[in-house]
Amino acid sequence: RIDKIKQSKGLQQIVVGFESTGNYGEPLKHFLKNKGVRLLQVNPMHTKKLKELQDNSPNKTDEKDPRVIADILELGLGLTVIIPQGVVADLRQLIKGREKRLEDIGRIKNRLESILAMIFPEFLQIMKGLRTKSSMYLLTRYPTPASIVQLGARRLTQKLRKISSGRLGEQRATALYGAAKH
């Protein structure tokens, strides 16, 4: 279609503009780039702001977006698309993957802390962190205050000493046991 329009209108070059998207736009970008089409992308924030200026409505509609994107490109605000290749592309993909996993870990940690705050709010004040070896050991084996009370203060002290290689002992176990009991 692009080639047909280019020929029928006697154009030397066609520019395809699009809003920056997630990874679902990647195959189309590669296809068009390989066909020699000039690609320009538009920042979604620019699209939103211009849309608000034009009709005082930030609503997204398929009819409005292409016109707004074309207007942004006409203003010269499009960004040249650079598609990394080889090792650079691999590295970029790995970095994005790592960032997503860190976000996932953060969300999961927040959920765990939220659940823990409902079940045993004093735990994190006493144990100083959710992801320490000692905390993880206790939470996987004794996830409720009742299970810690059932374990007993003496056995809790022994287990904390062992799992923390002697860094935690009777004082921390007594505080945790007392909080679990009350």
Side-chain angles (χ1 to χ4, degrees):
R1 277 187 163 173
I2 290 172
D3 285 340
K4 283 181 186 176
I5 293 170
K6 191 172 159 183
Q7 288 173 2
S8 72
K9 302 288 182 183
L11 302 172
Q12 292 178 357
Q13 186 180 41
I14 297 262
V15 175
V16 173
F18 58 93
E19 224 176 30
S20 303
T21 60
N23 57 359
Y24 57 87
E26 289 297 313
L28 180 60
K29 280 195 276 190
H30 285 277
F31 175 79
L32 292 172
K33 193 77 166 179
N34 289 339
K35 294 288 185 184
V37 175
R38 183 165 176 232
L39 300 174
L40 292 176
Q41 67 184 30
V42 173
N43 185 329
M45 291 304 295
H46 292 162
T47 308
K48 181 179 179 186
K49 287 180 183 187
L50 187 58
K51 206 180 307 182
E52 288 173 357
L53 284 173
Q54 286 180 342
D55 67 3
N56 203 23
S57 168
N59 297 335
K60 288 187 71 62
T61 66
D62 289 339
E63 294 109 32
K64 262 197 308 190
D65 285 355
R67 180 73 238 157
V68 174
I69 290 169
D71 290 345
I72 291 171
L73 295 178
E74 204 169 33
L75 291 170
L77 298 175
L79 304 169
T80 303
V81 177
I82 298 170
I83 300 175
Q85 295 178 344
V87 177
V88 175
D90 294 342
L91 186 57
R92 182 177 280 185
Q93 203 169 20
L94 288 170
I95 289 169
K96 282 183 181 178
R98 180 180 185 276
E99 287 170 353
K100 291 239 184 260
R101 294 306 71 81
L102 289 175
E103 287 173 14
D104 292 344
I105 288 168
R107 270 193 295 277
I108 291 167
K109 184 180 174 193
N110 289 341
R111 269 190 225 135
L112 285 173
E113 286 179 358
S114 174
I115 292 167
L116 194 55
M118 288 186 283
I119 296 171
F120 192 5
E122 301 84 1
F123 185 91
L124 287 175
Q125 295 167 351
I126 296 166
M127 289 307 293
K128 309 292 184 226
L130 183 63
R131 294 182 63 196
T132 65
K133 187 177 178 182
S134 301
S135 290
M136 294 303 286
Y137 176 87
L138 289 174
L139 290 171
T140 54
R141 288 164 183 81
Y142 312 101
T144 64
S147 60
I148 289 176
V149 170
Q150 188 176 13
L151 179 64
R154 189 175 59 75
R155 285 185 55 212
L156 179 61
T157 302
Q158 291 169 347
K159 291 195 180 286
L160 269 179
R161 256 198 200 113
K162 183 178 178 184
I163 200 68
S164 71
S165 302
R167 287 188 304 275
L168 303 177
E170 189 173 350
Q171 186 178 4
R172 189 73 56 98
T174 302
L176 190 60
Y177 181 80
K181 198 170 184 179
H182 296 101

